[in-house]
Amino acid sequence: MDYNHTLEWLYAQLPMFSRTGAAAYKPGLQTSLDLDEYFRHPHKRFKSIHVGGTNGKGSTSHMLAAILQSQGYRVGLYTSPHLVDFRERIRIDGEMIPKEAVVDFVSKFRECGYKGHPSFFELTMMMAFDWFASQRVDYAVIEVGMGGRLDSTNIITPELAVITNISKDHTQFLGATLPEIAGEKAGIIKTGIPCVVGEARGEIREVFEEKASEEGATILFAEDFMPLQRCVSNPEGGLDCSSPLCGDFHCELEGDYQKKNVNTVLAAICELRRIGVEIDDIAIREGMNKVTELTGLAGRWMKVADAPLTVCDTGHNEAGLRYTMDQLDRTAKHLGGKKHIVIGFVADKAIDDIIGLLPKDATYYLTQAAIPRALPVEQLVEKFRSHGIEGMAYPSPKEAAEAAKAEAKENDVIYVGGSTFIVADFLK
């Protein structure tokens, strides 16, 4: 098979949660362990950092990878989902896995005699591990797909576990309460392996402390440690920061929510240094300043046009959208213009609370992504109407964004988001 036929086979033969939802969800590690044995335990041939949490784990993973790359390490990066190209999920030093390697791995899998039916995520994860091992990476930064305890990536024994924060998302799988969700995320804490937690208070903090105690693992709460002393938005983009770890530096990532992610990353660097990983101050500064160049990160308060300013962001749950809506409001006030919001959601998302966060003083362009899991735009219109918000319906993010651009004035702001897949379709 050529590359395109290989992708068609992957999508057709294997369930993919991000597209189809609950039908593709396979909790448990047995399939991953079986695949790991078939491919001779590739994850044991490189060191890894495991990154979980509800929001920010993608940005955190990319920042850590950029810093390690700047130190001169050969760094694998496994994240999900992809926005435009499947190969975004698997990178080494920012370069996507070659198409030929994808074809070779799938051919090897189909010929290996394995009788089970792995999910899309289980197989692409093993593809990443196999590629990283074959290319002799020094470190791989591995982002958890969902939860932690039963996520297929949890077969690894990392050098460090990082948990960014806890908020409500995927409650049908991870639990209805924050402590229940925290319990699932805490599942990546392993015996004797240090853990950094970005944000955790009250009952959530207790969950992590109890799990770390059970496992004999050290735990560092970045909120207590606060290695980030100053972090302010730069008018020309990004964040101007200062830390006793490395002095003044610039983080090129946009979005107020990145401030907490930066603090978490710096705490993680402290722990890596403590266990003997060489990372100098220059590598921290350079990695933070060149995250997108070094790793290919996209879709985080990503500016795609000026006049009118157009940004897209993959934040898709209540906590993530709270940050982006606050920033959208401040940006519109700074420019003296109006807000235009292109938005859509997946069907299994509990969106009533999310809609309550959205501004009433905006023009809405409602749409749906081109995936089976998308909430039909007709239902979205009715849902918004029940909250007292009127929005026009458009069959695709592209058409919705074009309508917003035609309506907006030069000093207005167009925001595209609500779902990773809305952003993906828009960027395509």
Side-chain angles (χ1 to χ4, degrees):
M1 293 190 296
D2 62 14
Y3 177 71
N4 290 331
H5 285 107
T6 297
L7 281 191
E8 289 173 7
W9 183 86
L10 277 170
Y11 291 138
Q13 300 297 320
L14 301 167
M16 181 179 179
F17 173 79
S18 60
R19 290 180 177 272
T20 60
Y25 180 56
K26 283 181 59 184
L29 302 180
Q30 192 56 54
T31 300
S32 293
L33 291 169
D34 290 344
L35 285 172
D36 189 48
E37 186 169 345
Y38 266 98
F39 286 93
R40 296 192 291 184
H41 313 291
H43 70 91
K44 295 182 179 180
R45 285 179 265 156
F46 53 82
K47 296 178 180 179
S48 59
I49 299 166
H50 208 185
V51 183
T54 303
N55 292 304
K57 59 182 183 287
S59 296
T60 297
S61 296
H62 283 79
M63 282 188 270
L64 285 169
I67 291 168
L68 289 168
Q69 285 174 232
S70 297
Q71 184 64 36
Y73 296 114
R74 186 163 173 78
V75 182
L77 178 61
Y78 176 68
T79 59
S80 62
H82 62 273
L83 288 176
V84 177
D85 189 325
F86 165 80
R87 298 178 302 134
E88 295 168 27
R89 295 167 177 258
I90 305 169
R91 296 178 184 265
I92 295 177
D93 289 348
E95 296 295 323
M96 294 187 291
I97 183 173
K99 292 180 180 180
E100 296 80 8
V102 176
V103 173
D104 289 346
F105 177 85
V106 171
S107 297
K108 188 163 45 173
F109 167 73
R110 295 183 70 184
E111 295 167 2
C112 77
Y114 179 66
K115 302 301 183 184
H117 298 282
S119 70
F120 181 94
F121 191 84
E122 287 165 337
L123 198 56
T124 54
M125 177 204 73
M126 194 53 58
M127 182 189 301
F129 291 179
D130 186 65
W131 179 243
F132 295 159
S134 72
Q135 298 302 301
R136 295 182 172 87
V137 301
D138 299 306
Y139 289 93
V141 181
I142 308 297
E143 181 190 1
V144 172
M146 184 196 303
R149 182 176 65 93
L150 299 177
D151 185 78
S152 58
T153 64
N154 207 27
I155 64 172
I156 67 174
T157 301
E159 306 299 301
L160 175 70
V162 179
I163 302 171
T164 56
N165 54 52
I166 301 297
S167 61
K168 287 190 176 181
D169 200 12
H170 301 304
T171 53
Q172 68 270 47
F173 306 115
L174 305 181
T177 69
L178 293 179
E180 287 176 330
I181 295 170
E184 292 298 313
K185 305 283 187 183
I188 69 170
I189 300 175
K190 294 184 173 68
T191 303
I193 304 300
C195 176
V196 169
V197 176
E199 300 175 69
R201 298 185 179 95
E203 291 180 292
I204 297 172
R205 183 179 179 121
E206 291 174 6
V207 169
F208 291 130
E209 288 174 332
E210 288 175 9
K211 177 62 174 177
S213 177
E214 289 172 8
E215 299 292 343
T218 61
I219 187 165
L220 175 66
F221 292 94
E223 284 182 311
D224 295 346
F225 185 51
M226 281 305 292
L228 186 63
Q229 290 184 333
R230 182 179 68 92
C231 192
V232 296
S233 296
N234 185 307
E236 297 182 3
L239 303 168
D240 291 331
C241 307
S242 181
S243 169
L245 289 182
C246 59
D248 296 338
F249 65 94
H250 180 77
C251 176
E252 69 166 334
L253 299 188
E254 301 279 359
D256 287 349
Y257 55 85
Q258 295 293 2
K259 297 175 183 178
K260 292 188 176 181
N261 293 334
V262 171
N263 192 60
T264 302
V265 168
L266 293 176
I269 295 300
C270 284
E271 280 297 275
L272 289 171
R273 283 175 163 178
R274 184 183 67 81
I275 62 176
V277 181
E278 183 180 348
I279 302 172
D280 61 36
D281 297 354
I282 295 174
I284 298 173
R285 293 195 293 267
E286 183 171 331
M288 287 292 194
N289 191 42
K290 298 180 179 179
V291 178
T292 58
E293 176 186 333
L294 291 169
T295 68
L297 177 65
R300 273 67 169 187
W301 197 259
M302 179 180 176
K303 184 173 78 169
V304 295
D306 290 302
L309 175 64
T310 304
V311 297
C312 60
D313 193 279
T314 55
H316 57 271
N317 55 37
E318 187 178 347
L321 282 165
R322 190 184 301 276
Y323 276 110
T324 54
M325 289 302 105
D326 286 348
Q327 180 153 10
L328 177 62
D329 188 59
R330 286 194 299 276
T331 302
K333 288 178 179 176
H334 174 72
L335 295 175
K338 296 181 179 179
K339 299 183 283 284
H340 300 262
I341 297 179
V342 176
I343 200 163
F345 299 94
V346 291
D348 52 5
K349 183 75 65 179
I351 65 170
D352 286 287
D353 290 339
I354 290 174
I355 294 176
L357 297 173
L358 302 178
K360 295 292 196 293
D361 61 338
T363 303
Y364 285 88
Y365 309 79
L366 307 180
T367 187
Q368 66 184 73
I371 59 169
R373 193 176 156 212
L375 178 67
V377 69
E378 297 80 11
Q379 294 181 31
L380 187 60
V381 169
E382 292 303 316
K383 180 67 76 171
F384 268 66
R385 189 167 290 151
S386 71
H387 286 264
I389 300 176
E390 292 293 331
M392 291 293 294
Y394 297 89
S396 73
K398 179 175 183 284
E399 290 164 279
E402 287 174 348
K405 183 178 179 181
E407 184 73 20
K409 297 179 180 179
E410 285 193 356
N411 63 330
D412 289 349
V413 185
I414 299 173
Y415 169 86
V416 181
S419 161
T420 299
F421 311 104
I422 295 293
V423 173
D425 285 0
F426 168 69
L427 291 177
K428 288 174 185 175

